[in-house]
Amino acid sequence: MRGLQALLIIAAIIWGLLGLWQMVNPKGSWRATEGWKYKNPEANEPSEASYGLRSLGGFFSIIMAAVLVGYAAQVGKLDSSDSRSTNPAALPLSSYYGGYDDGLADYTVPGRTVDPFSSASASPVANGAPVTLFTPVVEGLSEHGRSDSSTEVAVKPIYYPWTSSDQPAAFASATVVDSKVALATLDPSQATTEGAGAGVLGEGVYIVVQLGRAVCAITSVNASLSDRQNSISLSVYGISDLSRCGQPVEGAFVAIPLSEELIQAAQAYQSPDYHPLATPTSTELNPPYRRSYGLNKGEYSPTIFHASRRTEFEDTWNDPATDAEIDRRALVPWIAPGS
């Protein structure tokens, strides 16, 4: 681009100087460019009217040279814009939230490692505020599809870990609802035990997720590692039918246990490079422009955990630009604001 700009400017200067010469001294210009062809130039010299037209032509040549200089300036601006687009620091937030841009589609964000079990000691659930924790009827996929009233429950995108070294107070003192008892008795009071969270969770490692709708029982939870070992899919099935298990509870939590294999996979995971301005696959949206209408359809997966059904972000997790790039199924650990 810069080479083209320089050539255009040089051509404009030469064209302008020739035009100026032709306008100011049309006779001299004719003798230098045409008169040499004749044995007797004076005998073949053009009329005064012809010289006048030649002078006018020089004037228009100067104007065209000025236009060429303006075009060269535009080329320089385009070159500068392209340079800024390849610099991550120069990308405005509008690049993340705006429409698809062919000129920036190749911009790549390098993957990074996020602690999948970051401490929840400063989180909202660390202060011991009352929460309800459901225990599932079964762990695994065995109950899927066995009941018309048991449906998949969407979970909220921010999860909390429960490990031997980090046990948030709210979960330790949680009111626990035993889903087996709730289904058998239809009496929530018989299925509920106050302050039983620590006894139920013990020293295991769990991903604790908040349910996106009210339920009265959780029929099953499952965590499965993909064949490529780059994704752990979490699913939660539950019932909200009052006639099946009593009064549903809004905003409850469920703990999904993690095996040693899943823990190691989560700790070894590093998010791959992603292209925030690239067109997503056609299966995501039709037409395939994920930024249309403000939908959150990013590619960034900060952790290995994904929910087969997930609600949208209600609060900022990291920052607006990062959050806009998070995959629509990805789950993220609670982190302190600004960290």
Side-chain angles (χ1 to χ4, degrees):
M1 280 284 193
R2 292 187 183 279
L4 175 60
Q5 183 187 27
L7 287 175
L8 291 173
I9 291 175
I10 291 172
I13 292 172
I14 294 173
W15 196 357
L17 290 175
L18 289 174
L20 180 63
W21 179 31
Q22 186 171 316
M23 183 181 71
V24 174
N25 187 10
K27 290 185 179 182
S29 171
W30 180 84
R31 288 174 181 173
T33 59
E34 298 291 335
W36 62 271
K37 299 178 182 179
Y38 302 100
K39 187 175 182 179
N40 186 5
E42 287 79 6
N44 294 279
E45 188 173 337
S47 65
E48 291 300 323
S50 178
Y51 280 136
L53 290 176
R54 192 175 185 87
S55 180
L56 185 61
F59 173 73
F60 281 112
S61 294
I62 293 172
I63 293 177
M64 293 304 298
V67 171
L68 189 58
V69 170
Y71 178 70
Q74 290 298 318
V75 170
K77 288 181 180 179
L78 288 173
D79 186 37
S80 176
S81 176
D82 289 343
S83 298
R84 286 195 301 272
S85 70
T86 58
N87 178 8
L91 286 173
L93 285 182
S94 60
S95 298
Y96 293 96
Y97 295 114
Y100 175 67
D101 187 335
D102 280 321
L104 299 174
D106 292 334
Y107 171 57
T108 300
V109 176
R112 62 191 179 101
T113 300
V114 172
D115 182 2
F117 305 115
S118 58
S119 175
S121 61
S123 70
V125 298
N127 58 13
V131 302
T132 299
L133 187 69
F134 276 91
T135 59
V137 175
V138 295
E139 295 173 3
L141 299 171
S142 59
E143 291 298 298
H144 288 193
R146 289 195 177 186
S147 170
D148 291 337
S149 58
S150 178
T151 57
E152 189 166 13
V153 181
V155 301
K156 296 191 175 181
I158 295 178
Y159 69 80
Y160 302 90
W162 173 278
T163 67
S164 59
S165 60
D166 187 43
Q167 300 179 339
F171 299 139
S173 60
T175 296
V176 176
V177 178
D178 188 323
S179 296
K180 291 181 183 178
V181 177
L183 288 169
T185 65
L186 303 185
D187 183 359
S189 63
Q190 294 186 47
T192 302
T193 305
E194 300 287 341
V200 169
L201 300 176
E203 296 298 310
V205 177
Y206 294 84
I207 290 293
V208 186
V209 292
Q210 189 170 18
L211 306 176
R213 64 177 172 87
V215 299
C216 56
I218 294 297
T219 52
S220 67
V221 296
N222 183 65
S224 58
L225 183 64
S226 66
D227 293 338
R228 296 174 60 188
Q229 298 192 340
N230 62 349
S231 174
I232 295 175
S233 180
L234 306 178
S235 59
V236 178
Y237 279 72
I239 297 174
S240 55
D241 186 350
L242 185 69
S243 65
R244 289 291 313 281
C245 48
Q247 183 64 41
V249 179
E250 188 77 45
F253 292 81
V254 64
I256 304 175
L258 299 178
S259 66
E260 188 62 37
E261 178 189 25
L262 297 181
I263 295 169
Q264 291 177 0
Q267 292 173 331
Y269 175 83
Q270 178 175 343
S271 68
D273 295 352
Y274 65 98
H275 309 283
L277 301 174
T279 308
T281 61
S282 58
T283 57
E284 291 182 357
L285 281 177
N286 188 23
Y289 296 125
R290 70 165 176 267
R291 272 160 244 293
S292 299
Y293 314 111
L295 296 177
N296 180 5
K297 304 294 181 184
E299 296 179 347
Y300 177 37
S301 295
T303 73
I304 198 172
F305 297 108
H306 292 80
S308 51
R309 288 197 65 188
R310 199 208 75 183
T311 65
E312 293 298 323
F313 279 90
E314 297 173 0
D315 301 303
T316 299
W317 175 65
N318 194 318
D319 60 72
T322 300
D323 293 1
E325 297 308 326
I326 293 177
D327 181 270
R328 62 185 178 184
R329 296 175 58 243
L331 299 181
V332 295
W334 184 89
I335 59 173
S339 62

